[in-house]
Amino acid sequence: MASNAATTSPPWLGHILDDAAEAASNSTALIVGAERRRIGYAELAELVITQCRALQRSALQPGDVVALQSSNNLEFVVGLLAAARAGLVVVPFDPALPEAERRARAEMACVRVTLVDGHQQTLGGDPSWLLQSDGSVDAADAPRAPGESIPGLMGRDALIMFTSGTTGTPKMVPWTHDNIRSSVTGIVAAYRLGPADAAVAVMPLFHGHGLVAGLLAPLASGGRILLPARGRFSAGTFWDDIDAVEATWYTAAPTIHQIVLDRADAELTPASRDRLRFVRSCSAPLSTATAQRMEETLGAPLLAAYGMTEATHQASSVLPFHDETTRLNTVGTPTGVAARIVDADGNRVPAGTTGEIWLSGPSIVRGYLNNPTATVGTFVDGWLRTGDLGVVDHDGTLSVQGRIKEQINRGGEKISPEHVERILASHPDVAQAVVFGVPDDLYGERIAAVVVTRGHTEPDLAAYSRGRLARFEIPERITFADELPLTAKGSVDRSKVARRYAR
């Protein structure tokens, strides 16, 4: 059990519904299932309280860690908020996580029991409790006996989020109730969300993007959320879902934006187009060409956001009133945090100069759990070293230029793969492009690209790049593919692309 488990104030996450349940009890909070059942704020709050009491009657104690393995459904929402209300620390698991990886993460996080929905299979002998849509809990198994807690876990911790782990062992990031509240408040204020707003839960709720921006921010502002019938994003039902909830906005990764955009001309109704206030994009860079096409097709501004797990998701965003240049070329201004650009020695650089992005503020976590080496290397005097290259202009607008570690060094020339990708993706026949370095005896690295086209033609991208890229930036090897591997959050898995196509 975590040290200092008792808190001086109620756990905020578990009480996120309280204001709306009291002020607008009959207002719709969720639309769920194939039958699109509407659940009001008062009903949802009662389900959370019922499940919270069931958890409190169990052998679990405040500060214990529980995993939550569920699709984007009612069980996830109730399970998360009920566990938080009971003072438990929740670790969201990807339902598609391989058993070996799930067991490893459960062991790392000292999980006592895993809460699952009715679609999850028996978890191979590990203690698991079934969450019911009526708020009850089928606790057939006894929880794992209390053991040593994770070093550094604290009483105000609400969630443990795992980093993606695509480049190595995933790290555990503790989100306190205060971290979450700060990030959610920043998102609500940035987009002026309120009870009149509605969205479809596109991104997976076990990931920070879907959890904080797609679920908690709408709930905190009293809005409506539709949870897709199959518990995950479906291109075939997306625009029907947008109609059903009367969506005023939605948030997604660029890959999903491209998928729904290709169907928008045929499936987006005039009424839904008129209702959309804005569309948010996060988790990966969106090409300028795709952003422009989205704005033209959807009739709403495309607002790019920037964030990471260590910042409790959002750190910066384009705002609805920003001009076209800002919308299409930057990630806007910080929301609830301070940002500065530093050189290799940690010294702040002048506006307009490229350097590493550092962040500080109430949504920035204190470090990693049980990983002091990574903590020391990433957190410095209250600042988060993001590992991203960026520029802040004289107006405080932030532009992200890619990961420092992903820079390609071709004979001493430092090349941003994201910059090359944006140029390739601006070709009208290109849907996606990934650029990476491959080892070379002469130059150290050469530039390779993997491209997905919109049709069956393979454009001459080397010729297209001339005049748009410096000579040393033009990819020397271009491979065309039908599709690219994705991470669980829907962004392109760069490490898999590089491994698959580097030969």
Side-chain angles (χ1 to χ4, degrees):
M1 188 168 65
S3 61
N4 190 31
T7 57
T8 56
S9 59
W12 180 81
L13 179 57
H15 292 265
I16 194 172
L17 303 174
D18 289 3
D19 289 345
E22 181 176 349
S25 59
N26 293 324
S27 294
T28 300
L30 301 177
I31 300 177
V32 301
E35 71 285 1
R36 290 175 174 160
R37 171 189 168 197
R38 290 179 174 262
I39 299 175
Y41 271 90
E43 181 183 357
L44 182 58
E46 186 58 37
L47 291 172
V48 170
I49 291 170
T50 298
Q51 196 163 104
C52 171
R53 289 170 178 165
L55 294 171
Q56 289 173 326
R57 290 192 296 268
S58 72
L60 298 173
Q61 298 296 317
D64 281 344
V65 178
V66 299
L68 176 59
Q69 186 163 316
S70 174
S71 303
N72 282 18
N73 53 27
L74 177 61
E75 289 88 340
F76 183 101
V77 178
V78 175
L80 172 73
L81 302 184
R85 193 179 183 98
L88 303 172
V89 181
V90 180
V91 188
F93 278 174
D94 178 355
L97 205 63
E99 182 178 341
E101 179 66 15
R102 179 190 55 75
R103 285 179 176 273
R105 294 190 180 198
E107 184 175 345
M108 286 177 64
C110 301
V111 169
R112 291 200 64 197
V113 69
T114 300
L115 308 176
V116 301
D117 65 23
H119 299 288
Q120 303 300 309
Q121 297 179 346
T122 303
L123 298 176
D126 284 356
S128 61
W129 294 354
L130 182 64
L131 301 175
Q132 307 283 2
S133 59
D134 63 358
S136 61
V137 178
D138 182 2
D141 302 323
R144 185 178 287 108
E148 293 185 4
S149 62
I150 310 170
L153 199 64
M154 298 176 64
R156 287 294 288 172
D157 289 334
L159 282 88
I160 298 171
M161 306 295 292
F162 277 89
T163 58
S164 60
T166 57
T167 58
T169 303
K171 297 182 284 290
M172 294 184 291
V173 181
W175 284 1
T176 67
H177 289 278
D178 300 317
N179 291 149
I180 299 168
R181 185 172 193 168
S182 175
S183 185
V184 167
T185 300
I187 291 170
V188 170
Y191 306 120
R192 300 175 182 174
L193 299 179
D197 286 305
V200 175
V202 175
M203 298 297 291
L205 299 182
F206 61 81
H207 185 266
H209 182 166
L211 179 57
V212 178
L215 175 67
L216 299 182
L219 289 179
S221 60
R224 299 186 305 283
I225 310 161
L226 184 143
L227 304 177
R230 293 192 293 175
R232 58 186 174 85
F233 165 73
S234 169
T237 66
F238 175 78
W239 289 114
D240 283 341
D241 291 340
I242 288 286
D243 278 339
V245 75
E246 298 182 336
T248 59
W249 72 290
Y250 75 91
T251 182
T255 303
I256 293 178
H257 285 312
Q258 291 170 346
I259 292 170
V260 301
L261 185 58
D262 288 340
R263 305 175 69 116
D265 286 336
E267 299 178 11
L268 173 60
T269 65
S272 284
R273 190 180 191 276
D274 290 343
R275 276 192 294 263
L276 282 174
R277 289 203 297 118
F278 66 92
V279 175
R280 180 179 183 270
S281 184
C282 194
S283 295
L286 183 70
S287 73
T288 300
T290 301
Q292 288 175 320
R293 184 171 164 234
M294 287 189 66
E295 292 198 346
E296 292 168 0
T297 303
L298 306 185
L302 190 287
L303 309 182
Y306 167 68
M308 58 193 60
T309 307
E310 293 86 344
T312 321
H313 184 50
Q314 182 169 293
S316 179
S317 180
V318 175
L319 303 179
F321 57 80
H322 278 147
D323 60 29
E324 183 180 35
T325 300
T326 302
R327 292 200 311 274
L328 298 180
N329 298 286
T330 78
V331 291
T333 52
T335 54
V337 301
R340 68 184 184 189
I341 308 298
V342 304
D343 61 20
D345 297 320
N347 301 312
R348 193 166 187 170
V349 300
T353 304
T354 298
E356 184 179 9
I357 302 169
W358 285 23
L359 302 171
S360 180
S363 65
I364 306 302
V365 306
R366 63 183 181 274
Y368 301 111
L369 291 175
N370 203 23
N371 195 335
T373 301
T375 296
V376 169
T378 306
F379 299 88
V380 180
D381 297 329
W383 289 87
L384 166 65
R385 301 180 57 180
T386 67
D388 290 325
L389 287 171
V391 175
V392 171
D393 67 16
H394 292 281
D395 296 325
T397 304
L398 176 65
S399 300
V400 181
Q401 299 178 341
R403 297 289 294 170
I404 293 174
K405 292 181 180 179
E406 290 172 356
Q407 273 194 312
I408 301 168
N409 188 339
R410 184 188 184 278
E413 298 283 2
K414 302 295 178 62
I415 299 155
S416 165
E418 287 85 356
H419 171 61
V420 180
E421 288 166 2
R422 283 194 291 271
I423 297 301
L424 297 180
S426 68
H427 191 288
D429 293 333
V430 172
Q432 291 176 291
V434 175
V435 173
F436 53 93
V438 293
D440 181 76
D441 291 338
L442 179 61
Y443 289 99
E445 285 184 297
R446 289 184 185 269
I447 305 174
V450 180
V451 173
V452 177
T453 61
R454 298 188 187 280
H456 299 292
T457 60
E458 295 184 357
D460 185 351
L461 293 176
Y464 179 79
S465 299
R466 296 187 192 106
R468 295 177 172 86
L469 291 170
R471 177 188 54 78
F472 60 82
E473 294 177 316
I474 298 174
E476 297 164 81
R477 191 178 80 195
I478 298 177
T479 303
F480 292 92
D482 293 331
E483 61 181 6
L484 298 175
L486 304 179
T487 66
K489 65 182 180 182
S491 58
V492 174
D493 192 324
R494 288 179 171 274
S495 61
K496 283 187 178 180
V497 172
R499 289 195 300 270
R500 183 177 299 176
Y501 295 97
R503 295 184 294 276

